[in-house]
């Protein structure tokens, strides 16, 4: 587990979309972490959880960029002074029918102050007088374009920061303006990029076992306990899970790491076989 969640007291006229922007969080992850809170009119004085803690996803590249669509996050891993560093950025995703394809790619180009040639199907939507939008505050690509070896797809900034943590783009991955500056400074041509969809993650802190569950918005996970069991087996961990707690975390899908038991050398004989939905 990396990072730590933080408390936040709602002020007058606050909304979760504005709190997410100020805190450099994704909107939907902030909503999920705070169930029962009206995202547009949260009660002033209410305490929120700002979800900065995360478990590293299975399939994370040892170096490079990993984009986990399910959690609206981009992970950058690099080495500095002989130590591995990890940085997490909230991202905006594509709407239905435009989702960035999963797979392994590479950074093909990094362009500062890019022009944007509007694809033909989108020209009516943007109602632009020209097919090309020059660099500047009206350019949806923001200040940088990080192109991928997957033609037509890339990672870029945005002139619409309220879309971070939402599914609003046409296939590319958006970052907050400050974040794309930071990422572009660290990215190099040829850097590996992996796009995954992992709503369920397990991890540990010391001897404690943690589970982080995000909403399965693509409807792919038919047997959540099997996913948990598979990740434990791949790591070679034996666990003593609290199965009732596991069920609660799976049902609530708050997208924050939650303790569900212990890692032990002794363990029990595959407790997840007894979990609801197994088999």
């Amino acid at each position: 587990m990396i990072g730590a969640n933080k408390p936040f007291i709602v002020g007058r006229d606050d909304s979760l979309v504005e709190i997410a922007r100020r805190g450099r969080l994704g909107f939907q992850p902030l909503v999920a972490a705070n169930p029962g809170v009206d995202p547009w009119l949260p009660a002033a004085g209410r305490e929120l959880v700002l979800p900065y803690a995360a478990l590293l996803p299975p399939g994370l590249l040892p170096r490079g960029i990993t984009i986990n669509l399910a959690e609206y996050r981009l992970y950058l891993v690099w080495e500095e002074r002989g130590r591995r560093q990890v940085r997490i950025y909230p991202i905006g995703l594509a709407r239905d029918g435009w989702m960035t394809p999963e797979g392994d790619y590479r950074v093909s180009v990094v362009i500062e102050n890019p022009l944007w040639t509007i694809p033909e199907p989108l020209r009516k939507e943007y109602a632009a007088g020209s097919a090309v939008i020059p660099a500047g505050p009206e350019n949806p690509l923001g200040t940088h374009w990080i192109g991928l070896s997957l033609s037509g797809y890339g990672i870029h900034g945005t002139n619409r920061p309220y879309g971070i943590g939402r599914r609003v783009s046409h296939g590319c991955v958006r970052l907050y303006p400050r974040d794309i500056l930071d990422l572009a400074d660290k990215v190099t041509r040829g850097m590996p990029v992996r796009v995954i969809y992992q709503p369920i993650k397990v991890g540990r802190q010391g001897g404690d076992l943690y589970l982080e569950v995000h909403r399965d918005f693509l409807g792919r996970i038919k047997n959540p306990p099997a996913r948990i069991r598979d990740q434990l087996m791949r790591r070679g961990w034996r666990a003593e899970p609290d199965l009732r707690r596991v069920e609660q975390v799976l049902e609530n899908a708050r997208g924050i790491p939650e303790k569900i038991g212990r890692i032990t050398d002794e363990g029990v004989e595959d407790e997840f076989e007894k979990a609801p939905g197994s088999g």
Side-chain angles (χ1 to χ4, degrees):
M1 180 161 52
I2 60 174
N5 296 328
K6 296 181 180 179
F8 179 86
I9 304 300
V10 177
R12 288 185 59 188
D13 302 322
D14 266 340
S15 68
L16 265 61
V17 70
E18 179 60 32
I19 293 168
R21 185 191 66 81
R22 294 202 310 262
R24 294 167 77 179
L25 292 162
F27 173 68
Q28 290 295 349
L30 180 60
V31 171
N34 295 279
V37 175
D38 186 326
W40 307 111
L41 293 170
R46 179 157 186 169
E47 183 174 302
L48 303 180
V49 173
L50 302 186
Y52 291 112
L55 303 177
L56 298 179
L60 182 78
L61 288 171
R63 287 184 182 79
I65 292 171
T66 302
I67 296 165
N68 190 359
L69 303 173
E71 57 177 314
Y72 296 88
R73 284 179 179 143
L74 180 153
Y75 292 80
L76 174 68
V77 183
W78 77 101
E79 191 167 301
E80 188 173 300
R81 297 173 184 173
R83 297 186 63 184
R84 191 168 73 151
Q85 308 288 326
V86 180
R87 185 161 295 173
I88 304 176
Y89 305 89
I91 58 176
L93 302 179
R95 63 185 71 169
D96 285 336
W98 295 81
M99 188 61 69
T100 308
E102 295 155 65
D104 288 325
Y105 312 105
R106 291 195 174 272
V107 171
S108 60
V109 66
V110 180
I111 301 174
E112 185 175 359
N113 297 321
L115 305 176
W116 185 45
T117 302
I118 307 174
E120 184 68 40
L122 304 182
R123 290 179 187 175
K124 185 178 293 186
E125 177 180 337
Y126 280 86
S130 169
V132 177
I133 297 182
E138 301 302 316
N139 192 317
L141 301 184
T143 61
H144 289 79
W145 165 262
I146 301 171
L148 304 183
S149 54
L150 178 65
S151 179
Y153 289 86
I155 304 162
H156 60 82
T158 182
N159 63 345
R160 300 177 180 178
Y162 294 109
I164 303 301
R166 305 170 76 179
R167 297 177 64 195
V168 294
S169 82
H170 295 95
C172 293
V173 172
R174 301 179 180 183
L175 274 73
Y176 281 122
R178 287 174 61 190
D179 288 343
I180 193 65
L181 287 171
D182 186 72
L183 179 64
D185 186 55
K186 294 177 171 58
V187 164
T188 56
R189 188 173 179 179
M191 177 178 282
V193 178
R194 175 171 292 168
V195 181
I196 61 175
Y197 180 79
Q198 291 283 3
I200 295 175
K201 304 184 294 179
V202 298
R204 66 183 299 174
Q205 192 168 54
D208 292 329
L209 176 65
Y210 283 81
L211 175 63
E212 180 181 326
V213 179
H214 297 263
R215 187 173 69 87
D216 177 20
F217 59 76
L218 295 183
R220 290 187 184 173
I221 310 302
K222 307 305 180 186
N223 187 343
R227 288 294 184 101
I228 299 169
R229 184 171 60 247
D230 179 67
Q231 290 187 42
L232 289 173
M233 291 177 64
R234 287 175 182 272
R235 288 167 170 78
W237 296 345
R238 293 176 63 83
E240 288 181 344
D242 179 337
L243 297 184
R244 181 169 296 182
R245 182 68 179 138
V246 170
E247 187 176 3
Q248 290 174 341
V249 175
L250 288 170
E251 181 179 352
N252 293 335
R254 295 182 62 198
I256 59 177
E258 301 183 71
K259 184 179 173 181
I260 59 166
R262 296 280 300 171
I263 301 291
T264 173
D265 291 335
E266 299 299 328
V268 291
E269 194 59 39
D270 202 355
E271 282 289 323
F272 282 101
E273 290 289 357
K274 306 172 189 176
S278 294

